[in-house]
Amino acid sequence: MPVLFLKMNDGEDVIADAEQADGGWKLTNPVRLAMTGNGLGMMPMNPFITDKEVTIPNNFIVYTGNPDDEIKNAYNQKFGSGLIVASSGLLHG
């Protein structure tokens, strides 16, 4: 499953391992993005449930996209595979 950015119709910004499901999206380890005094913060999308997977209907999602490498790496270190993607600016041919 790819790590995707999802803009929710309530204005929340979510990052998750995501794949399309019947009439919606299956999100694994979804987290909300928020600006804090220390920069970008990530917190569970819903801290009141223990489920690692949730399904969100299509009508709750405004759009999806690929997060930049810095956000994807931070997500993978804390909540995902742990794999880090090199920034294209660091690679020289």
Side-chain angles (χ1 to χ4, degrees):
M1 258 187 267
V3 175
L4 289 179
F5 170 90
L6 301 101
K7 182 68 163 186
M8 310 303 279
N9 67 3
D10 65 358
E12 293 287 341
D13 296 326
V14 173
I15 298 288
D17 286 314
E19 66 181 353
Q20 286 191 302
D22 291 334
W25 288 83
K26 182 174 85 171
L27 308 180
T28 303
N29 296 319
V31 298
R32 292 183 305 167
L33 298 175
M35 292 305 295
T36 69
N38 296 327
L40 184 66
M42 296 184 187
M43 63 196 86
M45 190 171 109
N46 186 332
F48 306 111
I49 63 173
T50 59
D51 300 328
K52 297 290 183 198
E53 289 184 357
V54 296
T55 302
I56 305 294
N58 281 328
N59 63 334
F60 282 77
I61 298 172
V62 178
Y63 61 87
T64 65
N66 295 311
D68 71 23
D69 289 342
E70 185 176 343
I71 292 173
K72 185 184 288 189
N73 287 340
Y75 172 84
N76 278 332
Q77 283 180 324
K78 293 181 182 182
F79 303 100
S81 66
L83 297 175
I84 304 301
V85 177
S87 169
S88 59
L90 298 176
L91 299 176
H92 300 284

